[in-house]
Amino acid sequence: MTTEAERLDEEIAALKADARRQLAVETSTIVATAAGQALLANDTALRPYAEKQAAHLQQNYHRIVTPVTSFKVIDPDPHAVDGGHVLALRFEAMTHGRYLHQYYVMLNRPYPHSKHLRVHRHTIPPAIPLAGFAARCLPSPKPDSETPPQQDLDRFARAIRREITRYHNRLGVMADLKRTLFGLHHESGPVADDVVEVNMADLEAKQIALTWADGRIGRLVMDDNGQVTKMVVQGPEGRDWELEREVLASDDSTMEDVVRQLQHYAAREG
Amino acid sequence: MKARLPSALRVNTSHPSVTKSLARLSREALLSLALDWLDEYAIQNSIPYLLPKRDEEDEDMDDLYPPCRSVNELRQLYVNMRQLKGSKRDVVSRITEGDWRHGLTLFQLAMADFAYLDEHQTSQRWSSYQILPLQPPTRSTDEEDEEVLKVDKESLRVPRFHPATFLQQLQDQILPDVKAHYHFHRTANLPVLLLRIFVVHFGVNDSNALQAKNSGQEEASFDGSKTSRNLWALLDKRGSGRTNASGGGWNIYVNEKEQKNPIDSILTLPSSSKNDSKGRKREWPLNQAQQEDKRAKVVAEARFGGSSTMDDGRGVERVEVVLQDTFPQQDLTGDLEDDVDGRSGDDPRRRSKVDTVLLQAQSTLDDEAADATASSTWAPPIKIAFTGSHVFAGIRQLVEAGIVDGERMPGWMTGEEGVTMGVVRHGRIRGFKGSGL
């Protein structure tokens, strides 16, 4: 049983937390203004804070403007190569105007007498072929060869960013598909031609497994850009060619076209 | 001709593999297992012994476990047994002498094994392998000598794993006289698909293999440098997420809480410490021991990040490394003994495994220049084995307690290289293990 005192304690704690949050917002707002910066310039206690805030804001501006940003890290390992100097790339993943994740690739310089970079650590999921891009854009040096391989960090960063964006777009397409296909016949329960299940069928989110209410199963295959390239529907009596033809009418169907056709198909008989 | 034993094939209940499978389960697990068998999707492969329809009057009075009339009745019976108290033995004999007296199917045995795995998550040892794309063969296929295909490092294809196709290929490779039963299982709490292969030799079951198949990532060749009893630990470093190549302190870049949205302009200062510093201020100044204690904790936080805590469930139970560094020139004889574990020689099988890694490492070409100069100095052969329920959490605790110097500790001791076996040269695991590339 909670006593009155305990209840008051909780209330006080909540109010304190609220006040702290408020304080943090107000301080950062004041410090971020030009006037605030000027005021704090001579205050030895608060100047470091003002500088940190300014740096933080600057970092944010950069991150908002460019989807790939870089920063330097020191590897805490005392045996780290190159004195622990690590270059980190930050990739922003966003969908529908919202920031979702950041992905990081850390690069170091492990090769003696060479400024060539190498992927040291990263947070890229295996759905993105990081190793392939690293081998293409950041080849390791061959000291004995006459034509030393050139590294292209710019190309590497662009390629990884593109793959991350595509991956997130495909995930988004899948989520959209779920949202629009479900609940077509919400009140009366699903009819035979309704799609009742939408699942990711592979690691890269390029294939989508569909299940219809009458037990037919299907597979949609997307290319890199989210264009639907193939569709297979299997029913109890074999391929459902009719549905496949109807849904994938043209060679360059987008997922929106497919969804429209599927809805049309379900609504026709239902 | 594929030797694939049907799931509905029955094994006599007196068979040792049946009694063993059931005896190691708890009462609770046995009851829910029996209910799973009676579930709609499973029932055709685990048909219970029911009262024959024709001779209902002709009931055998001596029967200790009179058979039920329908599956529903039987289901209700097991649901009721859950409410009652009783011994595990009762349930086992009810299953083997009553409702499944005519034998348990291979399907039921497979489910029993997975029920055991769910109860005892560390009962199996798991290894990870990676599927790598190969370069297409350059020579024509009709040539006699088989070409060794190279790994296509520049490939941008993410290998796709299809369980049914994998199983088909696997069965093609297995000799027709090996009789085996294959069973796929998806565990509730792990993003992984498991394939159980139950091999029967000439009617006598004597081998039982389990294979892990990560539903995200394929595996098949190369890179067996991570083994563990803990599947979570394996999936953490070889899974389909973002944690594969960001172990140790690097895991702050995976942690959602640490990631800041660029639209959020508020700089999170250590305000929380300011808040509770009131309590600490009274003790100010800290004495030296307290300061060291505090520092050790901060250092541990820096080196391990949020990883390797005792309760994260990602513990590996054994880590082995071979040190190839030269002996330090200064006199350190007093310090070294703590780290060196004398185990390396006691198990020839284990040693040979480490030696294999050693040989592999020696065949790689990097560090060649360093070798030439180092060969004149003395490098004692040192193998270190860490064992325990959670090796890296243990090291973290040693750092927090100030026993291991967190600042001088090499990076591989944080687990960030993601291997359970490796060769250390110049203070680092050879072969760039930590990047996962």
Side-chain angles (χ1 to χ4, degrees), chain A residues 49 63 79 121 136 202, chain B residues 154 260 269 416 428:
Chain A
Y49 175 45
R63 283 178 58 188
H79 299 285
R121 299 280 184 267
R136 283 171 189 219
D202 69 336
Chain B
E154 299 197 348
K260 273 185 248 109
L269 282 181
E416 62 182 78
R428 299 184 298 274

Side-chain angles (χ1 to χ4, degrees), chain A residues 145-211:
Chain A
S145 85
E146 286 179 12
T147 52
Q150 294 295 309
Q151 293 200 327
D152 192 342
L153 184 62
D154 192 51
R155 213 177 104 219
F156 175 74
R158 281 166 196 271
I160 298 296
R161 191 205 70 84
R162 189 171 58 235
E163 287 304 311
I164 289 172
T165 313
R166 280 172 169 173
Y167 175 62
H168 272 273
N169 283 351
R170 290 195 299 265
L171 289 178
V173 163
M174 187 117 32
D176 288 348
L177 202 61
K178 272 187 188 169
R179 242 193 323 273
T180 42
L181 285 183
F182 289 170
L184 274 181
H185 298 88
H186 210 58
E187 313 84 36
S188 51
V191 299
D193 290 333
D194 269 347
V195 174
V196 289
E197 236 183 273
V198 177
N199 284 317
M200 192 166 115
D202 69 336
L203 193 64
E204 293 175 279
K206 282 186 181 171
Q207 298 196 2
I208 303 174
L210 300 171
T211 310

Side-chain angles (χ1 to χ4, degrees), chain A residues 99-113:
Chain A
Y99 286 90
L100 293 176
H101 287 303
Q102 289 104 54
Y103 294 97
Y104 297 89
V105 176
M106 285 76 174
L107 305 144
N108 62 1
R109 287 178 169 154
Y111 307 108
H113 319 298

